[in-house]
Amino acid sequence: MPVDCQRSTSGGKGNIGMFIERDPKICAAGLPSSQPDDKVPDSLQHYLLKDEVDALVGDAILPLKPPRPLPPLRHPIPLDKRFAGPFGQVAQIINPPIKTKFQTLVDDFKDTSYASYWKKPLGQVRDPVPMLPDGMDTVGTTFGKKTAFHGRLYDIVMPKVPPPDKTPHAKEAGVQLKRTYCSPPYNRELTFGHRTYVDKRGTYARCCLTDDRVVVGNGTRTILNTLQAKFLESHQPRIGEVLAPNNNIDNVPKGYSFGKLKPPDNLPECLSYCQLNPERDFFRKCLGHLNSLRKSLSKRFLPTFFREFYLNIKYYDKQKAGWLPKQVVYDLCAVRLIRFDPSLIEPLLSMWHAFDGANIEYKTFVHVINYREPSPEIPKIPDIPDECLSFSTTYTEMVTPGQEEDKSRMAGLPSGRYFDLDYPVTPEKCCRADRTCLPHESDMKACLNPSILTLFHVNHRDMYAKRDPQTVKRVFEAAGETFTDEKFNEIWEEAKKYHSNGWVCYETFNRALENSKK
């Protein structure tokens, strides 16, 4: 294209013969895409540097042989169904795809065991039994030794001709004995008197004596309106029946009882004749408030808070006495939003000797509200006042009321009862014999298998009562012992040493006798 026509904007091939062109230089409209010096062969021979490098590399390096294809997988790689949602394997199991007729037929052929599956008769197998010769009657042939026929089991259990019954007629069921009390025997069909035809049923007398409505339960009913009858049936209980129109008892557990549960009575107040200590319930309320305070602080503060809180309170103790006015402690708690009822906390601090009415021992106070530390030991709070307490001991029971206390050494331990028969006082509705042989003074074995002493009403009072020498000597000589006067006096003096006042009983004399024989 000539250079002078490059930037010309006039003329056009599409307007030939339509306009008169006065300019002899006619060029196409617009800028041309090709340069005036470009040639077509130069454009065909031009390529990029990358193509040149690839050509050189391809000529210098031999390409690798293509790898052999991998063998087919036995099972295809399972799909990633971790986020499949309702489109996993469960949906396929619940709703399996519908098989085609061809697939159904193939599955039936796979389940068929024999080729004659489609032609086998009902209840038999068409194929011959294996390991048997051809043409053998597999149905009528029986192997083994033929046993003798003894009859069918049904004929034995249910014979056609039953054996004769040898049961006596008197022992048959429903047999009425014929007692020959009178002759001719009594005829129960016999009727005395003249027959009346008032009631052909023959129940006229029974109807007169007993009304059927009374038996059924309709004797007191009268004909009412339908609405009124339904109302009375649902709101008026019958005799011997419970009024339960909705059958609520069938809709509750077994053993359920209706009504409002009444709180039980205070058993200690019933058993005690004194008024219970009112401070017990108050201290229980104070401990409950402290427990609630510690529980709320455990949700708000870390365990390290209480050490820092103790140091902040200690800063205001300029005298280092360990005590601060209660208002100062309460203000420091209010700054940290620790709120509580002082009337319930101060009695506890007083019980632990950390509050004197105006000042508080702040170390104990911080220790009490710290939920990580156990509370100080709580002293015993009596249930009843001290003046109502009454304790009895074995020594007080064996001493007469008003008698001075005997501090001298005694023989053995107190038995729990008085030695003299004037005490204890005979219980009500009992006699002196019941007081002498009290059952609770012995054990169960002695009650079930009493000894010779128990049978002769010899108790511990008889064995430990004070005796004179003539009685002791006569009893032991009757038991088989022999004494001389000198020997008996020697044993008697030895037995007197076992008692503070020199009393001698059967037991102390027997002990001295055994020591003398050694």
Side-chain angles (χ1 to χ4, degrees):
M1 182 180 292
V3 179
D4 53 356
C5 295
Q6 181 177 1
R7 296 176 177 82
S8 177
T9 59
S10 63
K13 297 180 179 180
N15 300 326
I16 296 177
M18 297 180 64
F19 301 97
I20 299 174
E21 295 291 341
R22 294 181 178 88
D23 192 354
K25 300 177 181 180
I26 299 174
C27 298
L31 296 176
S33 59
S34 62
Q35 301 301 326
D37 300 332
D38 291 344
K39 299 179 180 179
V40 175
D42 296 338
S43 300
L44 296 176
Q45 294 179 1
H46 175 71
Y47 56 94
L48 300 176
L49 178 61
K50 183 178 182 303
D51 299 334
E52 296 180 5
V53 174
D54 293 339
L56 293 176
V57 171
D59 295 340
I61 302 175
L62 297 176
L64 299 176
K65 296 181 180 180
R68 297 178 60 183
L70 296 175
L73 296 177
R74 185 181 300 272
H75 300 286
I77 299 176
L79 299 178
D80 187 6
K81 297 182 179 180
R82 289 177 295 179
F83 304 101
F87 306 101
Q89 297 179 358
V90 179
Q92 299 177 3
I93 296 174
I94 296 176
N95 298 319
I98 301 175
K99 295 181 181 180
T100 62
K101 294 183 179 181
F102 178 75
Q103 291 177 350
T104 305
L105 185 61
V106 170
D107 293 341
D108 291 341
F109 274 113
K110 288 181 179 180
D111 296 338
T112 304
S113 304
Y114 299 95
S116 62
Y117 173 78
W118 305 105
K119 298 180 181 180
K120 67 178 182 178
L122 182 62
Q124 302 181 31
V125 179
R126 186 181 182 88
D127 294 345
V129 181
M131 304 302 293
L132 292 177
D134 296 337
M136 182 178 179
D137 186 8
T138 58
V139 179
T141 305
T142 305
F143 297 92
K145 186 178 180 181
K146 188 175 182 179
T147 58
F149 179 73
H150 298 286
R152 297 184 305 167
L153 181 61
Y154 181 81
D155 296 338
I156 298 175
V157 178
M158 300 290 293
K160 296 180 180 179
V161 180
D165 189 7
K166 299 181 181 181
T167 306
H169 178 71
K171 294 185 178 180
E172 293 180 356
V175 176
Q176 183 177 6
L177 299 181
K178 295 181 179 180
R179 308 181 186 276
T180 58
Y181 291 150
C182 59
S183 181
Y186 171 72
N187 185 10
R188 60 181 179 179
E189 301 296 336
L190 184 62
T191 304
F192 298 92
H194 297 279
R195 179 179 178 85
T196 59
Y197 297 95
V198 177
D199 187 6
K200 297 182 180 181
R201 298 173 301 169
T203 59
Y204 180 73
R206 183 170 61 85
C207 291
C208 295
L209 296 177
T210 304
D211 192 354
D212 293 339
R213 296 182 302 171
V214 178
V215 178
V216 178
N218 303 332
T220 58
R221 292 189 180 184
T222 56
I223 300 176
L224 303 174
N225 190 0
T226 306
L227 298 178
Q228 185 180 3
K230 292 182 179 180
F231 177 80
L232 294 179
E233 185 177 0
S234 60
H235 291 79
Q236 184 176 359
R238 300 293 178 265
I239 297 176
E241 296 182 0
V242 180
L243 180 61
N246 301 324
N247 292 329
N248 296 331
I249 196 65
D250 298 336
N251 302 323
V252 296
K254 185 178 181 181
Y256 184 84
S257 58
F258 298 93
K260 187 176 180 181
L261 185 62
K262 182 181 179 182
D265 297 332
N266 194 350
L267 184 60
E269 291 183 357
C270 298
L271 298 179
S272 177
Y273 55 88
C274 293
Q275 185 180 5
L276 296 179
N277 188 5
E279 297 181 358
R280 183 186 56 172
D281 296 334
F282 176 71
F283 275 106
R284 188 177 300 166
K285 182 179 179 180
C286 295
L287 292 175
H289 180 69
L290 177 62
N291 188 23
S292 302
L293 174 63
R294 290 160 64 101
K295 189 174 182 179
S296 62
L297 295 181
S298 64
K299 299 179 180 179
R300 292 176 50 196
F301 302 111
L302 295 175
T304 56
F305 164 77
F306 297 96
R307 176 63 181 174
E308 180 182 358
F309 184 49
Y310 166 71
L311 296 177
N312 293 338
I313 297 178
K314 189 177 180 181
Y315 173 77
Y316 294 92
D317 186 11
K318 303 299 182 180
Q319 300 179 359
K320 299 181 180 181
W323 293 73
L324 283 176
K326 64 177 183 179
Q327 193 61 36
V328 176
V329 178
Y330 294 162
D331 292 343
L332 294 176
C333 293
V335 171
R336 290 161 179 81
L337 301 179
I338 302 177
R339 299 183 177 90
F340 53 88
D341 190 357
S343 61
L344 299 178
I345 298 297
E346 291 175 358
L348 296 178
L349 296 176
S350 302
M351 180 178 61
W352 289 317
H353 306 287
F355 180 71
D356 57 357
N359 301 323
I360 295 178
E361 188 180 2
Y362 51 86
K363 184 176 181 180
T364 306
F365 174 76
V366 176
H367 175 76
V368 167
I369 66 174
N370 189 357
Y371 61 89
R372 294 299 298 272
E373 298 291 338
S375 300
E377 184 177 358
I378 301 176
K380 182 179 179 181
I381 301 175
D383 294 338
I384 57 178
D386 295 338
E387 56 271 10
C388 294
L389 298 178
S390 176
F391 300 99
S392 60
T393 60
T394 55
Y395 183 78
T396 55
E397 287 186 0
M398 65 177 295
V399 176
T400 308
Q403 181 180 350
E404 295 182 2
E405 182 180 1
D406 186 7
K407 298 183 179 180
S408 58
R409 295 181 59 188
M410 302 189 66
L413 296 176
S415 62
R417 294 293 172 183
Y418 300 100
F419 285 160
D420 50 343
L421 298 183
D422 298 334
Y423 295 96
V425 181
T426 304
E428 277 188 48
K429 300 180 181 180
C430 295
C431 59
R432 186 172 180 179
D434 298 330
R435 187 186 63 189
T436 304
C437 302
L438 294 176
H440 58 269
E441 293 182 356
S442 182
D443 54 358
M444 183 60 67
K445 181 180 178 182
C447 296
L448 297 178
N449 188 17
S451 62
I452 183 101
L453 299 179
T454 307
L455 294 177
F456 282 97
H457 298 281
V458 178
N459 56 8
H460 65 280
R461 298 190 185 91
D462 298 329
M463 301 300 296
Y464 290 95
K466 181 181 179 182
R467 305 292 178 180
D468 54 343
Q470 292 78 11
T471 305
V472 174
K473 185 176 181 180
R474 181 171 56 84
V475 170
F476 275 86
E477 287 181 350
E481 299 290 341
T482 56
F483 307 102
T484 59
D485 295 340
E486 294 80 5
K487 184 67 176 178
F488 179 79
N489 294 333
E490 181 181 353
I491 298 174
W492 182 267
E493 295 297 330
E494 183 68 20
K496 292 170 63 175
K497 298 179 181 179
Y498 291 108
H499 194 268
S500 58
N501 296 333
W503 295 355
V504 178
C505 60
Y506 293 136
E507 181 62 27
T508 54
F509 187 85
N510 186 28
R511 192 185 311 173
L513 178 61
E514 292 178 354
N515 294 334
S516 64
K517 293 180 180 180
K518 296 181 179 180

